[in-house]
Amino acid sequence: MSTSVRPVRGGRTGLAARLVVAFTLVMGVAGVTAWLVAGFAGPVLFHRHLVGTGVADPAAVVHAEEAFRSASALSVGLGLAVGLATSLAVAVVLARRVGRSLHAVATAAALLAAGRFDARVPTPRLGAEFDALATSFNAMAGQLADSEQLRRRLLADVAHELRTPVATLGAYLDGLEDGVVELEPQTIAVLRDQGARLTRLADDLAAVTRAEAPGVQVARVRTDPNDLLLSAAAAVADRASAAGVLVRVERGDGLPGVLVDHDRFGQVLGNLLDNALRHTPAGGAITLAAARTPERAVRLTVSDTGSGIPAEHLPHVFERFYRVDTARSRTDGGSGIGLAIVRALVEAHGGRVAAFSDGPGRGARVEIDLPPES
Ligand SMILES: Nc1ncnc2c1ncn2[C@@H]1O[C@H](COP(=O)(O)OP(=O)(O)O)[C@@H](O)[C@H]1O
Ligand SMILES: [Mg+2]
């Protein structure tokens, strides 16, 4: 750690000095009390007891009292000295241990503030409170590290997505300017296409940001799951028949209603159907089905007979900007955000979503489980 990061220090007096002062004060009060008792009350009591036992010889009384006084002074003095030394030692040891742990936390906090998100504090073993402090601190640092990583990746992804259309637009404009490229309908189509891609990216980014915002608002209405599927199928009917793909709906019998935001759920099923259409060649089929799971949730399934998803990609398809076949998706215009939006919106409805495929060429299936209306 060669950085010049230092914890910010508060007042000047350290913990050790404060503890020493506190312990010395306590010992001082104890000493004064002991001295008062031993110097005033003790001799009076001793004298009374001595006379009470019948010792009459004045010389013997004086001698005994003298002995009492020096014994008292010795024991009080010795006790105080040992007590003071012990308390000083304890104060120093305690202050060192507490100080070391606090210093570790302060240093780690300063590192975090300077952008070093890998800073962690060791468990101090100084009791439950300090251990809890260290644990929560490390949890906080972990969260910060995660969101920082997410932020970087998002920026890198966005930059990557922007580069291709912007570069294409730039190249065409240069070509037009130099007279190498003619302003033909074909050229205009390419330019418009790249522009549309940028617009779509902006829309997708806005949509995913909205969908992933904490506490996203969903206006839920009680709905028959079959109706959701029917209207989603109707929305893509034209595109499907143009692509030569059959879309069918398998209604579920006796299903409970689900509470969903119609617009948002239209978006969810629309994104899934969009993917299915894009990956299913002519002659294939897409099936929308509603059924009940053993856990009494309502399961909506969108399956297709298309190109399928290789197993190693399945766990990642819901991540933002994740595309299985980047080259192909690029020409198709997908930015890899559709399923991220799907997941965020399904989770905002208290549901869960998962993707399955029996492998390349064997179709894909996405299942959404929604809690039944209660
Ligand atoms: N029905 C499907 N069949 C095959 N692959 C799919 C299917 N749905 C999604 N995928 C894969 O998952 C990736 C992520 O999907 P998505 O987030 O919708 O992004 P996009 O559609 O913009 O590429 C897609 O790039 C595609 O490779
Ligand atoms: Mg998509």
Side-chain angles (χ1 to χ4, degrees):
M1 288 204 212
S2 58
T3 38
S4 59
V5 174
R6 291 235 176 76
V8 184
R9 293 204 51 169
R12 276 198 199 130
T13 323
L15 181 66
R18 280 164 200 255
L19 274 180
V20 167
V21 169
F23 278 12
T24 311
L25 217 69
V26 170
M27 284 312 294
V29 172
V32 169
T33 312
W35 179 71
L36 283 176
V37 171
F40 298 101
V44 174
L45 280 174
F46 183 77
H47 181 83
R48 208 177 288 156
H49 281 292
L50 201 62
V51 174
T53 50
V55 179
D57 182 3
V61 169
V62 169
H63 186 73
E65 282 181 345
E66 189 62 36
F68 174 81
R69 230 174 266 127
S70 57
S72 300
L74 188 69
S75 49
V76 167
L78 205 65
L80 276 180
V82 171
L84 195 63
T86 312
S87 63
L88 286 183
V90 169
V92 169
V93 171
L94 205 63
R96 274 222 190 118
R97 288 207 57 186
V98 173
R100 219 178 296 142
S101 325
L102 291 181
H103 185 75
V105 176
T107 308
L111 282 170
L112 277 187
R116 292 275 308 273
F117 294 101
D118 54 342
R120 298 288 182 277
V121 285
T123 310
R125 297 185 195 294
L126 263 180
E129 293 86 350
F130 276 92
D131 288 358
L133 175 68
T135 310
S136 351
F137 185 92
N138 289 338
M140 179 190 75
Q143 285 279 348
L144 283 174
D146 285 353
S147 51
E148 173 63 10
Q149 199 190 358
L150 215 68
R151 189 183 68 85
R152 278 173 201 266
R153 225 187 61 201
L154 186 67
L155 280 177
D157 288 341
V158 170
H160 178 84
E161 287 303 316
L162 285 173
R163 204 167 292 132
T164 319
V166 168
T168 312
L169 284 171
Y172 268 88
L173 289 173
D174 285 349
L176 282 169
E177 202 176 44
D178 300 345
V180 186
V181 178
E182 296 285 312
L183 194 59
E184 295 162 346
Q186 224 178 335
T187 315
I188 294 178
V190 171
L191 293 177
R192 189 161 283 146
D193 226 44
Q194 297 302 318
R197 198 165 148 193
L198 287 173
T199 309
R200 196 164 43 232
L201 176 66
D203 291 347
D204 280 355
L205 277 174
V208 79
T209 309
R210 258 198 316 272
E212 289 183 349
V216 54
Q217 292 295 317
V218 281
R220 301 198 215 182
V221 182
R222 190 200 168 277
T223 311
D224 180 345
N226 293 315
D227 291 347
L228 285 174
L229 301 185
L230 288 170
S231 57
V236 294
D238 288 349
R239 274 168 60 207
S241 64
V245 174
L246 180 73
V247 177
R248 55 175 175 237
V249 176
E250 287 176 5
R251 296 148 152 276
D253 282 334
L255 293 178
V258 285
L259 289 174
V260 295
D261 182 317
H262 281 196
D263 285 348
R264 310 248 188 198
F265 236 79
Q267 197 182 355
V268 166
L269 292 173
N271 284 359
L272 295 180
L273 284 169
D274 190 58
N275 285 348
L277 269 176
R278 185 136 33 97
H279 294 98
T280 307
I286 300 172
T287 307
L288 291 155
R292 198 102 195 231
T293 70
E295 296 83 36
R296 312 194 66 73
V298 173
R299 176 167 295 167
L300 304 178
T301 310
V302 178
S303 49
D304 62 60
T305 58
S307 57
I309 303 171
E312 68 268 26
H313 294 289
L314 275 175
H316 303 291
V317 290
F318 291 99
E319 291 171 10
R320 277 180 292 194
F321 295 107
Y322 195 88
R323 286 178 304 217
V324 173
D325 182 350
T326 45
R328 190 195 132 101
S329 301
R330 186 142 290 147
T331 53
D332 286 0
S335 50
I337 293 180
L339 289 180
I341 294 175
V342 166
R343 179 168 66 180
L345 289 180
V346 168
E347 286 176 358
H349 281 81
R352 277 208 304 239
V353 61
F356 305 87
S357 175
D358 291 335
R362 304 180 65 184
R365 186 173 89 249
V366 176
E367 292 180 357
I368 298 171
D369 285 357
L370 286 174
E373 183 197 23
S374 48

